[in-house]
Amino acid sequence: MPDQPSLDRNLDQLLSEECGRSGPSDKPKLLKVLLAVQERMGYVPPHSIPQIARRVGATEADVAGVLSYYPDLRTFAPGRHVIRICMGESCFANRCSRVLRALNDHLGIVIGETDAGRRFTLEKVYCMGNCAVAPTVAVNQDLFGRVEPEQIPSIVDCYR
């Protein structure tokens, strides 16, 4: 994990790239900027909220509000692998709750947590567009369909 000054330099550069020279009223770009920060850094560091707010011409409350509204935005460094379980209608109808319990038991964490070794972060989403093979789990960019609870150890342990 990069140190704080390195993060700040990266953030300065990123904000310059995303906001360009269009001035202090880039409030409509706020979500785009937050997504770009998360893509580059893995999360939106809470200490960066004032800097982002100044750059896009928003208040810190605006930035914090957008961060808390969108569940895909996170304010903590994720584990090396992000596991997402779909909780959408099709996955729910196909008993994704059993798969979630298996993930909780195997990883020892619940949704929104990262394990002690910082290897895995568990998140929920409400549709991955993979409804035909529900329930669905994604590990980073790898998608697994028709997941049964018994498969969780073999799926997860491939990423250890």
Side-chain angles (χ1 to χ4, degrees):
M1 183 61 58
D3 60 5
Q4 183 76 30
S6 176
L7 278 176
D8 291 341
R9 278 193 307 277
N10 288 339
L11 185 60
D12 277 339
Q13 181 181 357
L14 177 63
L15 290 175
S16 293
E17 292 168 10
E18 289 299 319
C19 296
R21 298 173 191 238
S22 57
S25 60
D26 284 336
K27 198 171 175 180
K29 287 185 173 180
L30 179 55
L31 181 57
K32 180 181 174 198
V33 168
L34 292 173
L35 289 169
V37 169
Q38 180 165 294
E39 184 176 323
R40 177 90 53 96
M41 299 179 163
Y43 69 112
V44 180
H47 78 272
S48 69
I49 290 174
Q51 189 176 359
I52 293 170
R54 277 190 308 275
R55 190 61 192 236
V56 300
T59 65
E60 292 179 30
D62 290 335
V63 177
V66 171
L67 273 172
S68 66
Y69 182 79
Y70 291 99
D72 287 346
L73 293 170
R74 65 176 84 84
T75 57
F76 60 90
R80 194 167 22 138
H81 305 289
V82 177
I83 299 175
R84 293 181 179 89
I85 181 166
C86 183
M87 307 291 280
E89 287 182 32
S90 183
C91 288
F92 190 79
N94 284 289
R95 304 174 64 193
C96 65
S97 58
R98 296 178 316 126
V99 177
L100 177 58
R101 271 194 303 279
L103 283 165
N104 294 152
D105 293 344
H106 191 69
L107 296 169
I109 58 175
V110 296
I111 287 176
E113 290 184 341
T114 299
D115 70 344
R118 303 208 57 76
R119 286 180 290 189
F120 298 103
T121 296
L122 184 58
E123 296 179 344
K124 66 180 173 182
V125 296
Y126 287 101
C127 191
M128 293 187 205
N130 208 29
C131 303
V133 292
T136 301
V137 170
V139 182
N140 303 326
Q141 301 302 317
D142 301 331
L143 208 54
F144 299 89
R146 293 193 176 103
V147 176
E148 294 293 331
E150 301 79 29
Q151 295 174 288
I152 291 301
S154 63
I155 291 172
V156 169
D157 292 346
C158 288
Y159 295 90
R160 290 194 187 265

